[in-house]
Amino acid sequence: MTHHAQPELSWGQFPTTRLRRTRMQGWCRELVAEHHLHPSDLIWPVFIQEGKNTETPIASMPGVFRITLDLLVEKIKLANQLSIRAMALFPLVKSELKSPYGDEALFDGNLVCRAIKEIKNAVPDMGIIADVALDPYTNHGQDGVFENGQVINDLTIDILCKQAVVQAKAGCDIVAPSDMMDGRVGAIRKALEQENLKDTLILAYSAKYASSMYGPFRDAVDSAKNLGSADKRSYQMNPANSDEALREIALDIAEGADMVMVKPGIAYLDIVYRAASTFPVPVFAYQVSGEYAMIKAAGNNGWINADAVMAEQLLSFKRAGARAILTYAALDIAKAIA
Ligand code: PBG
């Protein structure tokens, strides 16, 4: 004879308490759901390039294309109709324009600045995020000034402040420093104030880890071959650390960040959770290129249902406490859940 032990629960006992009751029917599962995914939770990162009427597939990111500005505007209108509230711009800078100090980043007629103006003109209520970092613009692929084998912190900050001001003047709503230099958020905030750009938001990539999951992104902005075998471990965080992420976030808030980000995403949900439960600021998460690629690749092999896995992981970001999520699948998911 088997003896079935009954759980000792303070609010009731089996069979009075049957948690399966609320799971039995779809309407009830929806009703009691603690979290929902909305298109407005999603931020769409877009790769842009020079030219006209051209979409170039990125081999390591199935379903993602680098697009020219004329096509971009149409896509942004679609995103807006799907209730996506914000997007982030990443440029492919022509190799002849890449330089040691990333000068092209400071040119107010560069690809990103032109894109910002066109989007604001065509879809004024779409929030535009511009990355503040030099890696798409440098011929060594590092995010800052690189001298004697080192990325030079304070010199880099001077340039990043100018880059942020140029982007804000072009009309972007949010500047997002992704460079991980010490002190850059405060310096950028001060530079914006000095230019009377008081309403420009700062989304700080506060806890950005030196991850191996950025590879496809580096293909997309063509920085992979310039970076070569070098890495970014002297400025991006060690994946071993968690307390340090909270120190980074606390500093960025004190320096004037409006929102903070954890990146990558799914392997760092513990950091998202700690950040969101520790600080009363919006915490965003970035489902990075490698995460996207892994899901798509397995889906294309017929090993998993990529759309279902994508939606499940994005919901997990929300459960962990993310207020919004950057994802290359934003349009597809927004269509699916619309
Ligand atoms: C550049 C930047 C990177 C990403 C966003 N901004 C790459 C890097 O730090 O090397 C990665 C995004 C992704 O992998 O999807 N500073």
Side-chain angles (χ1 to χ4, degrees):
M1 245 186 34
T2 351
H3 174 72
H4 293 281
Q6 295 190 356
E8 298 280 337
L9 299 171
S10 58
W11 57 83
Q13 284 190 332
F14 179 82
T16 350
T17 302
R18 290 179 185 267
L19 289 176
R20 288 187 57 196
R21 257 184 234 124
T22 56
R23 297 179 201 141
M24 284 293 169
Q25 298 192 65
W27 62 264
C28 194
R29 288 192 291 272
E30 275 289 298
L31 207 61
V32 302
E34 294 172 42
H35 299 280
H36 290 93
L37 191 64
H38 299 288
S40 59
D41 298 321
L42 307 177
I43 297 171
W44 188 34
V46 184
F47 297 110
I48 52 175
Q49 63 184 2
E50 298 285 0
K52 277 210 161 41
N53 198 24
T54 309
E55 289 193 311
T56 311
I58 296 153
S60 50
M61 300 180 75
V64 176
F65 298 82
R66 276 192 309 249
I67 55 181
T68 51
L69 298 192
D70 47 347
L71 300 179
L72 175 70
V73 167
E74 290 313 307
K75 291 251 156 76
I76 302 290
K77 284 183 184 161
L78 178 64
N80 193 40
Q81 281 159 12
L82 291 167
S83 300
I84 291 174
R85 311 306 309 144
M87 46 92 53
L89 287 166
F90 294 102
L92 173 73
V93 178
K94 288 184 175 166
S95 53
E96 62 267 28
L97 293 176
K98 298 195 185 203
S99 62
Y101 294 90
D103 303 337
E104 178 68 8
L106 307 187
F107 171 45
D108 62 5
N110 70 23
L111 183 60
V112 163
C113 291
R114 279 180 279 130
I116 293 169
K117 286 178 192 150
E118 291 209 18
I119 298 166
K120 270 291 149 202
N121 210 14
V123 195
D125 58 348
M126 174 65 71
I128 305 178
I129 304 172
D131 226 55
V132 181
L134 298 180
D135 54 317
Y137 302 95
T138 54
N139 55 6
H140 44 69
Q142 296 285 355
D143 291 23
V145 173
F146 190 63
E147 281 171 356
N148 306 320
Q150 288 283 329
V151 173
I152 314 293
N153 196 85
D154 299 10
L155 187 53
T156 298
I157 289 182
D158 289 344
I159 302 176
L160 296 179
C161 286
K162 292 181 184 143
Q163 181 185 23
V165 166
V166 163
Q167 291 169 339
K169 282 188 174 165
C172 89
D173 303 288
I174 303 181
V175 290
S178 70
D179 56 290
M180 289 300 279
M181 296 300 111
D182 285 325
R184 90 280 206 213
V185 171
I188 290 171
R189 176 56 77 210
K190 196 167 156 218
L192 292 170
E193 286 288 324
Q194 278 167 357
E195 295 286 336
N196 208 27
L197 295 158
K198 297 187 193 305
D199 296 329
T200 304
L201 294 147
I202 299 179
L203 164 61
Y205 284 72
S206 299
K208 178 172 179 179
Y209 286 86
S211 170
S212 299
M213 287 189 278
Y214 305 146
F217 174 97
R218 293 176 188 168
D219 294 337
V221 302
D222 195 26
S223 69
K225 64 176 185 314
N226 292 336
L227 194 61
S229 61
D231 62 54
K232 302 190 179 183
R233 283 184 290 185
S234 80
Y235 46 106
Q236 298 179 348
M237 277 184 57
N238 183 346
N241 298 349
S242 168
D243 287 344
E244 190 187 342
L246 299 189
R247 291 185 74 193
E248 285 282 6
I249 292 169
L251 282 172
D252 286 352
I253 295 168
E255 290 177 30
D258 300 286
M259 308 112 159
V260 298
M261 204 198 310
V262 174
K263 177 186 174 190
I266 209 76
Y268 295 80
L269 285 190
D270 57 323
I271 311 298
V272 174
Y273 182 77
R274 284 189 78 186
S277 27
T278 307
F279 301 104
V281 298
V283 175
F284 292 0
Y286 200 141
Q287 183 191 49
V288 301
S289 56
E291 299 178 63
Y292 172 90
M294 288 190 280
I295 295 171
K296 284 290 185 178
N300 288 347
N301 272 303
W303 296 337
I304 59 172
N305 176 337
D307 289 344
V309 171
M310 199 71 81
E312 180 181 330
Q313 296 205 357
L314 293 171
L315 184 61
S316 302
F317 283 103
K318 288 208 68 185
R319 196 189 59 235
R323 201 66 63 77
I325 310 136
L326 286 97
T327 173
Y328 300 98
L331 274 192
D332 292 343
I333 296 294
K335 273 183 210 152
I337 62 182

